[in-house]
Amino acid sequence: MESENMRRKIEDEIEHTIASPVIKNKRFLEDEQLIKSEQLAVLEEIFNTNVRDMEITKLSKHFTPIFRNDHPYHIAVWGKTGTGKTLTLTYFLNLLLRLGAERNIQIRYKHLDLSTPVPCFRALNDLACLLNAMKRYQRGISLDEMMLAIEAKLADYPGYLILFIDEVDNIRRDKDTFMAFLIRRLPQKIPAKLILVFASNHLDWPDHLDPRVKSFLKMNEIIFKPYDAVDLQHILRIRVEKALCQEAIEPGVIEKIAALASYDHGDARKAVALLAKSAYLAEQRRIKVKLSLVDEAAKELDMDRYSAMLKSAPKQLQAAMASVIEAAKLQNNKRIGTADAYDAYRKFCKKARVSQLSGRAFGDLIGELDLYSFIRSRMISRGRYGRAREIILELPEELLKKIYGMILLKFQLR
Ligand SMILES: Nc1ncnc2c1ncn2[C@@H]1O[C@H](COP(=O)(O)OP(=O)(O)O)[C@@H](O)[C@H]1O
Ligand SMILES: [Mg+2]
């Protein structure tokens, strides 16, 4: 009987999803699941709607010397995350290859994706693999051997070589060595005309370059501004077409997501994520994607972000956060003193069987929590008693509950 019931439930669910679906093709809601050719297909449509027109024009100008047998400078592209740097360059460089092929100009381009931080060794290793100078991850060879392998591989390639170094600021160790290799050494060792394309989420990135390398670096810059609401509407509309069933979206939803996203950050990745979350909620609840759902989805995304961040944080940071929450609960006040928080922290550590840090080190943890906006802390004057630090808990109650529960679970206190 039991299994009959379950079977009916499952069938019900399937039937419902088939009868009134919200999501048509989930892959178009999650960028990571798109394969390159699909990504390019989406891009094609987008760029035909003139989003990032100005940037593409600038890129074209920059690269035209190629078609006169000249050598363009290097180029750097700056802008916040989600402003389309990777997508635009991928699109543009693919187009450039095609144009080159039509005119019998040899152009190669490689995309070195450094979206996770790596040491110089790893970055060079990845580059070597991209260029087929090596097969896979190497161990026990020197940086110099790696560089030689790259140079040897390129020894008989005479055309244009474009290296797109994406999120270049993510090189964590021996950054100067990496840059010196690309900017000073490589161009002199290979016959190809090398054009470096750097992308970074930080505007101040080149300021940290070794001056001896920097003086060699001749480059143009393009800054990607955050997307405005109109751009985001274009971007979202194409996503909706690919991923969702048109009838399931109520009027105004796209406009609302675009408005929220452009007001907050202008980050297209986050805008798409908000669309996806709204669609998932709608499908779960068996309703259409409507305006009020967007607010809910935004709130949930925020909650997801905070808990994900804390989930992967060091244990001590989690303990500190739990203690602040406990202290606030104990005093029934969202503002607490550092001493009270430290008391709660010591109790928590005992309970959770983790080692206790000194008051000073605890202060550092509080500083870190502040940095990530889990709490706000500020110095207050207490007259002749000097100054003290106050901790203020401002996250919504619901989120605090979720975070607290998650931490207890981590420490197996539940
Ligand atoms: N012009 C665009 N059209 C469609 N989607 C875009 C566009 N720009 C950004 N996106 C979306 O935002 C995500 C982030 O874009 P990306 O180019 O990776 O940004 P960045 O490299 O500047 O961080 C993309 O995966 C895509 O979902
Ligand atoms: Mg990028």
Side-chain angles (χ1 to χ4, degrees):
M1 217 49 227
E2 189 93 309
S3 75
E4 254 318 284
N5 248 341
M6 192 45 99
R7 188 196 151 106
R8 205 167 307 129
K9 254 191 212 158
I10 295 173
E11 277 176 349
D12 220 39
E13 195 57 48
I14 295 173
E15 245 159 52
H16 159 76
T17 321
I18 295 173
S20 56
V22 175
I23 300 170
K24 185 167 70 181
N25 193 343
K26 197 169 146 196
R27 295 217 318 294
F28 284 101
L29 290 176
E30 285 159 29
D31 288 324
E32 297 75 35
Q33 292 191 23
L34 280 188
I35 52 175
K36 267 260 152 58
S37 60
E38 285 173 332
Q39 231 178 26
L40 281 175
V42 179
L43 288 181
E44 201 85 37
E45 285 183 48
I46 291 191
F47 291 109
N48 285 337
T49 61
N50 298 340
V51 174
R52 288 295 176 231
D53 230 18
M54 199 180 66
E55 288 76 6
I56 290 181
T57 310
K58 281 189 188 159
L59 282 169
S60 314
K61 277 218 182 83
H62 179 86
F63 281 92
T64 41
I66 288 186
F67 299 96
R68 294 191 309 251
N69 200 19
D70 265 346
H71 192 167
Y73 287 156
H74 304 311
I75 188 162
V77 167
W78 321 122
K80 288 195 193 161
T81 52
T83 50
K85 298 181 296 297
T86 303
L87 279 189
T88 308
L89 280 165
T90 306
Y91 169 79
F92 174 81
L93 292 173
N94 271 294
L95 213 63
L96 194 71
L97 287 200
R98 253 191 276 159
L99 292 176
E102 283 165 16
R103 290 165 178 72
N104 284 326
I105 301 172
Q106 273 197 64
I107 310 176
R108 285 171 72 182
Y109 112 77
K110 296 289 169 196
H111 177 199
L112 181 65
D113 181 3
L114 302 174
S115 44
T116 40
V118 288
C120 169
F121 181 87
R122 187 59 203 253
L124 277 179
N125 197 171
D126 287 351
L127 182 61
C129 293
L130 279 177
L131 293 165
N132 286 326
M134 272 170 190
K135 285 263 152 41
R136 63 199 142 75
Y137 189 53
Q138 298 283 328
R139 232 174 263 202
I141 65 170
S142 68
L143 283 175
D144 201 52
E145 284 171 289
M146 197 105 73
M147 293 176 188
L148 286 171
I150 292 174
E151 289 159 7
K153 185 72 195 178
L154 294 170
D156 48 12
Y157 174 73
Y160 290 92
L161 176 65
I162 303 173
L163 294 182
F164 172 18
I165 316 290
D166 202 354
E167 307 214 15
V168 52
D169 39 329
N170 265 341
I171 307 245
R172 284 302 142 85
R173 216 174 317 132
D174 303 324
K175 183 182 70 193
D176 292 337
T177 312
F178 183 78
M179 298 309 292
F181 171 65
L182 286 179
I183 295 166
R184 292 190 63 169
R185 176 169 157 168
L186 192 58
Q188 305 196 339
K189 295 285 173 76
I190 58 172
K193 295 196 183 79
L194 179 69
I195 307 161
L196 298 167
V197 179
F198 298 108
S200 164
N201 299 329
H202 305 284
L203 276 170
D204 65 347
W205 170 75
D207 300 344
H208 304 300
L209 269 182
D210 182 345
R212 280 165 305 176
V213 173
K214 203 170 161 186
S215 64
F216 265 76
L217 184 60
K218 279 217 177 93
M219 65 175 187
N220 277 329
E221 296 181 13
I222 299 183
I223 294 175
F224 277 52
K225 289 206 208 85
Y227 284 119
D228 64 23
V230 179
D231 294 336
L232 289 171
Q233 281 184 28
H234 281 306
I235 292 170
L236 289 167
R237 222 164 253 129
I238 292 166
R239 284 306 168 109
V240 164
E241 237 164 69
K242 299 256 174 211
L244 306 181
C245 304
Q246 299 285 343
E247 323 77 61
I249 306 271
E250 291 201 342
V253 165
I254 292 177
E255 288 78 1
K256 174 157 184 173
I257 295 177
L260 282 177
S262 68
Y263 181 79
D264 275 355
H265 42 66
D267 179 332
R269 191 181 286 115
K270 288 189 187 159
V272 172
L274 183 53
L275 174 71
K277 190 90 188 179
S278 310
Y280 289 137
L281 283 181
E283 190 142 284
Q284 259 173 28
R285 303 211 191 137
R286 307 180 167 205
I287 54 176
K288 290 189 179 186
V289 185
K290 52 182 185 176
L291 291 176
S292 62
L293 218 50
V294 175
D295 293 318
E296 268 186 70
K299 222 158 93 193
E300 279 205 17
L301 275 183
D302 232 14
M303 296 201 359
D304 292 351
R305 193 165 55 82
Y306 277 106
S307 8
M309 205 148 57
L310 208 56
K311 220 178 211 161
S312 55
K315 285 246 149 151
Q316 285 289 347
L317 201 66
Q318 298 175 347
M321 185 67 205
S323 327
V324 172
I325 295 176
E326 285 182 357
K329 222 188 282 174
L330 201 68
Q331 301 188 3
N332 204 9
N333 190 346
K334 295 254 159 156
R335 288 162 186 263
I336 50 175
T338 324
D340 296 326
Y342 188 55
D343 274 348
Y345 166 76
R346 287 198 314 216
K347 274 190 211 135
F348 185 88
C349 288
K350 249 187 221 134
K351 204 164 53 174
R353 299 213 181 93
V354 290
S355 55
Q356 283 175 26
L357 300 182
S358 68
R360 201 191 157 128
F362 178 73
D364 290 343
L365 291 177
I366 293 298
E368 213 169 319
L369 287 174
D370 189 3
L371 194 69
Y372 295 120
S373 326
F374 286 100
I375 57 160
R376 199 152 61 81
S377 80
R378 55 167 200 178
M379 296 304 273
I380 47 168
S381 164
R382 294 207 291 183
R384 61 198 177 92
Y385 298 108
R387 283 146 62 80
R389 193 191 283 276
E390 184 186 48
I391 300 170
I392 307 161
L393 260 183
E394 282 175 331
L395 293 180
E397 193 57 39
E398 215 178 329
L399 176 55
L400 286 175
K401 243 189 212 153
K402 188 169 162 182
I403 288 177
Y404 186 60
M406 189 267 292
I407 298 175
L408 289 189
L409 216 62
K410 277 257 163 183
F411 285 100
Q412 302 188 325
L413 292 172
R414 242 199 196 157

